[in-house]
Amino acid sequence: MAEKDLKKEPATALEEVNQDNQELKEKVTAGQKYIMWGMIALSAIAIVVFIYIFAIRNPGIKSANEAVSQADITLAQGNDSLALTQYQQVANQYGYDGGNRAALMAATLLYKDGKYEEAIKELKNFSPSEAIVGAAAYSLEGDCNVNLQKYAEALSCYDKAIAQSGDNALYTPLFMMKKATVLREQKDYAAELKVLKQIQSDYPQYGSAYGISIEKYIARAEAQANQK
């Protein structure tokens, strides 16, 4: 009886080994299938990206740049009205840098014509990604709001312009002066004084560079703030 059991043990062990090998083989095969489908999915994504870049994005960028360049030529020729129409068409039809710049140019021309609300609408289509140009766009929106006597909105725009331009010694104090002017219009002389003193401290060369007496403005704001 014991001999029979001994004869069975090697056979059973071999069967277990074969079964383990079969299971391992099935797992490997399944893993290979997953890898294969993963590679197919990645290839499909790569093809879509390739098509987007070369069949849609690049031609779109080229078309936008060509269209905004044509509007620039029209503007240079002195035809502001037609140039505005062209800029608006580019801004509405295209994205990319060309469409973005067209929105800013359209807003600038509308501001020049005193159409402040329309200018603000165009600026909503502008993406202020670049520091100085973006800051200028915020400042322009602030100027529009000042002309509409929307002073709270103007202050918000000037704050964005100041933040966007960072420590630029040429533009940041200019935006700060605009903010101080609005605060003065609101008769918030203490807040005006704070901004003016910050200009004097952070940008000491600004006043002399533009022939502005910051000290005179500070003295005036300080006197009026103390009267309250």
Side-chain angles (χ1 to χ4, degrees):
M1 182 72 177
E3 290 180 0
K4 290 181 180 179
D5 291 339
L6 288 172
K7 288 180 181 178
K8 287 181 180 180
E9 286 179 4
T12 301
L14 182 60
E15 289 174 359
E16 290 177 354
V17 170
N18 288 336
Q19 185 176 356
D20 290 342
N21 287 339
Q22 182 62 31
E23 291 177 358
L24 180 61
K25 182 179 179 181
E26 290 174 355
K27 289 179 181 179
V28 170
T29 302
Q32 289 175 336
K33 288 180 181 179
Y34 291 136
I35 292 172
M36 179 185 70
W37 285 112
M39 293 299 293
I40 291 173
L42 289 173
S43 298
I45 293 171
I47 291 170
V48 170
V49 171
F50 182 86
I51 291 173
Y52 169 74
I53 290 174
F54 291 99
I56 300 175
R57 184 177 182 274
N58 286 356
I61 291 173
K62 182 180 179 182
S63 297
N65 289 338
E66 289 175 352
V68 78
S69 295
Q70 182 57 54
D72 290 340
I73 293 171
T74 302
L75 181 63
Q77 292 172 342
N79 194 337
D80 291 11
S81 178
L82 179 56
L84 172 60
T85 300
Q86 291 174 330
Y87 284 128
Q88 288 176 320
Q89 288 175 344
V90 176
N92 293 331
Q93 186 174 352
Y94 299 100
Y96 316 112
D97 290 341
N100 200 37
R101 186 167 72 80
L104 180 57
M105 292 300 297
T108 303
L109 290 174
L110 287 165
Y111 175 82
K112 181 182 175 183
D113 290 341
K115 298 177 181 178
Y116 306 120
E117 290 183 352
E118 292 181 44
I120 290 174
K121 288 180 181 179
E122 288 294 341
L123 287 169
K124 297 303 181 185
N125 295 323
F126 178 76
S127 178
S129 56
E130 199 275 329
I132 300 305
V133 177
Y138 282 132
S139 178
L140 178 61
E141 186 175 353
D143 295 347
C144 290
N145 281 306
V146 167
N147 282 280
L148 294 169
Q149 296 184 344
K150 296 180 178 180
Y151 298 126
E153 290 88 341
L155 288 174
S156 176
C157 291
Y158 292 141
D159 281 336
K160 291 177 182 177
I162 292 165
Q164 185 89 354
S165 61
D167 295 327
N168 188 290
L170 183 62
Y171 294 103
T172 303
L174 171 63
F175 304 142
M176 294 173 72
M177 281 296 297
K178 290 186 177 186
K179 178 180 179 180
T181 302
V182 174
L183 289 169
R184 180 171 185 77
E185 182 67 24
Q186 293 181 314
K187 302 186 186 307
D188 191 348
Y189 304 119
E192 177 197 6
L193 177 61
K194 183 178 179 180
V195 175
L196 291 171
K197 283 187 173 181
Q198 187 178 354
I199 295 172
Q200 184 185 49
S201 173
D202 296 349
Y203 306 97
Q205 303 300 321
Y206 176 74
S208 59
Y210 288 92
I212 297 173
S213 177
I214 296 294
E215 291 77 11
K216 181 182 72 175
Y217 293 138
I218 287 175
R220 182 182 64 182
E222 197 164 27
Q224 291 176 309
N226 291 332
Q227 288 176 359
K228 284 197 167 187

